[in-house]
Amino acid sequence: PNPQPPPLLPHHIPQPLHLINLNTRGLHTSIMDVEHLATTHSHDVLILTETKHDSHKSRWRVALPQYLLKSSRPCFSTVPLPNAGVLFAVRRESFHSATVLTPPPHLLPHIAGLKLVPHSGNPYLLLGAYMPQLHSPIPTRLYAEVAAWGLSLMDDYPTHRIL
């Protein structure tokens, strides 16, 4: 959430960015539903939450062959959140590169970040979050810590658009 868009890099014309953020609800929305969405619409990036990506990585690869799959390190090794996981699916031809950002270790089960460099225009930082509901036993301080990490990226990446 930048207050103003960052300045354009010299001689670059921005490309449009089409993305969708979808909570798969622990795969109550099936992988086939996501595959249908990806093949019937032209999205550059799918940000998928509650994907169980650790246990279903090969199924996601088969369902989304035109996408490069990126995620933070597996969340099951740090916190037992059975439906957790943020998975970025990046359309291969849309970007020059896609690099996973590493949030602080205690935030890994909840947030994932991705640096995208398009073929033209300014690069992007995408943030995807899997957060507990406010009435859950997890302290609301977690929300402030996730927001603070996202805001800190503005200083580290001043020419990037943060979404």
Side-chain angles (χ1 to χ4, degrees):
N2 294 337
Q4 295 179 6
L8 289 177
L9 296 175
H11 310 295
H12 285 167
I13 299 171
Q15 309 181 180
L17 176 68
H18 301 100
L19 63 94
I20 188 165
N21 186 17
L22 178 66
N23 183 340
T24 64
R25 299 180 309 128
L27 293 182
H28 287 95
T29 302
S30 75
I31 289 176
M32 290 186 311
D33 293 334
V34 175
E35 179 182 22
H36 177 74
L37 178 70
T39 56
T40 58
H41 297 82
S42 181
H43 295 94
D44 299 307
V45 180
L46 300 171
I47 304 171
L48 306 169
T49 57
E50 285 194 49
T51 59
K52 300 182 183 183
H53 63 77
D54 297 338
S55 58
H56 295 289
K57 194 86 151 197
S58 61
R59 289 179 63 196
W60 285 111
R61 282 191 186 107
V62 170
L64 301 170
Q66 69 276 35
Y67 289 87
L68 178 65
L69 303 180
K70 296 283 190 174
S71 61
S72 294
R73 77 180 169 129
C75 55
F76 296 118
S77 61
T78 57
V79 173
L81 298 171
N83 296 328
V86 177
L87 181 67
F88 294 101
V90 179
R91 188 174 294 277
R92 295 176 190 276
E93 74 263 7
S94 296
F95 298 94
H96 176 68
S97 66
T99 308
V100 173
L101 300 172
T102 304
H106 69 289
L107 298 180
L108 272 173
H110 303 286
I111 191 163
L114 190 66
K115 177 182 170 183
L116 290 175
V117 178
H119 296 293
S120 67
N122 284 40
Y124 296 96
L125 296 182
L126 299 183
L127 303 179
Y130 173 79
M131 300 295 290
Q133 295 181 3
L134 283 174
H135 65 275
S136 73
I138 300 199
T140 55
R141 186 181 81 193
L142 174 65
Y143 280 79
E145 291 173 352
V146 165
W149 181 70
L151 290 171
S152 75
L153 295 173
M154 289 174 24
D155 293 332
D156 296 337
Y157 299 92
T159 63
H160 292 59
R161 295 183 186 275
I162 300 176
L163 305 172

